[in-house]
Amino acid sequence: MIKFHPKDEMLKQHANGQLHLGLATAVSAHCELCSVCRDKLKQYTAAQAEQHLGEQSNDDIQTENVATLDNLSIANIDFSDMLKQITQLAPVEPTESQRTIVEVKDTQYALPRALTNQVDHNWSGFGKISRMRLNADENNSRASLLHIDAGGEIPEHSHTGREITLLLEGNFEDEFSQYVPGDFIELDANHQHSPKTINGCLCYTVVDAPLHFTKGISKILNPIGELIY
């Protein structure tokens, strides 16, 4: 069962088109996996559309000549009923063949539709950690598909900014909890952890500042953190 979700404010920002591509992708992919947030997003989107259409109708009514379509005033169109019909449409579930497949460490994963047009299938990394860079469309943010192979662990680190992790497949745990597919984890400078997985996992991550490694030999990476995050 999914335990971690985007904050309501982030869902509202997504409905209003205010998130950059990296965060918008994370929220969209989470909503594909989470019916609770999918329903919330549908409500926020409908409310935003109704507000916008209401404002537009008021502007039209105040003009001397109201635009007409087949001699019907726009002001008389029942936008509420139209929106209700749209939002009640059943979502079209993608078939496996419609979803983008990526392969890493001899394992294939079907990605959420939100990632369909972003993957380039070029992985980099070392040891049990593999990463595919994606477009975040924001100067200070980095988006990636992150794969941790079975028995893998990311060295203990803190955050100098915000880190969003959406677990897509598999399971992992850290000092705070155990996570399942669909969990949307948001951490910041107040958190220090070392994620590890027994059977392997695939995540979508968005960070806006380098990680700061706190233990062992991995601390030698901190001086070049700007280059590798």
Side-chain angles (χ1 to χ4, degrees), residues 127-224:
K128 293 182 178 291
I129 311 297
S130 301
R131 179 170 62 184
M132 181 193 295
R133 290 287 197 189
L134 304 176
N135 183 17
D137 196 29
E138 177 75 9
N139 289 338
N140 295 325
S141 294
R142 303 288 187 271
S144 305
L145 281 176
L146 180 69
H147 181 264
I148 309 176
D149 205 7
E153 178 178 355
I154 296 179
E156 183 178 286
H157 59 274
S158 59
H159 305 87
T160 57
R162 178 169 63 177
E163 176 188 70
I164 300 291
T165 301
L166 173 64
L167 180 55
L168 300 176
E169 293 279 356
N171 298 269
F172 77 88
E173 62 183 65
D174 62 11
E175 289 78 353
F176 305 111
S177 189
Q178 296 178 331
Y179 306 101
V180 300
D183 275 336
F184 187 101
I185 307 113
E186 181 174 354
L187 302 178
D188 58 22
N190 297 314
H191 302 91
Q192 182 170 301
H193 69 152
S194 177
K196 62 190 69 174
T197 176
I198 296 175
N199 299 315
C201 64
L202 179 70
C203 304
Y204 176 75
T205 66
V206 184
V207 296
D208 58 18
L211 305 182
H212 181 78
F213 294 101
T214 55
K215 279 188 177 180
I217 194 171
S218 59
K219 290 195 293 184
I220 65 175
L221 299 174
N222 289 329
I224 59 171

Side-chain angles (χ1 to χ4, degrees), residues 5-80:
H5 309 265
K7 297 178 175 133
D8 284 353
E9 182 59 31
M10 185 177 287
L11 288 172
K12 291 177 183 178
Q13 290 174 334
H14 185 51
N16 294 338
Q18 296 172 335
L19 299 180
H20 66 70
L21 177 60
L23 287 179
T25 299
V27 173
S28 293
H30 170 78
C31 288
E32 289 184 46
L33 301 171
C34 174
S35 61
V36 173
C37 289
R38 185 164 61 246
D39 290 342
K40 281 186 179 181
L41 182 61
K42 185 185 296 185
Q43 294 170 10
Y44 295 147
T45 301
Q48 177 66 15
E50 190 167 346
Q51 178 182 352
H52 176 74
L53 289 172
E55 292 172 353
Q56 187 66 45
S57 295
N58 289 335
D59 290 342
D60 290 342
I61 292 171
Q62 292 171 5
T63 61
E64 183 176 352
N65 298 312
V66 177
T68 59
L69 178 62
D70 294 333
N71 298 320
L72 292 176
S73 169
I74 289 179
N76 293 327
I77 297 176
D78 189 347
F79 288 114
S80 297

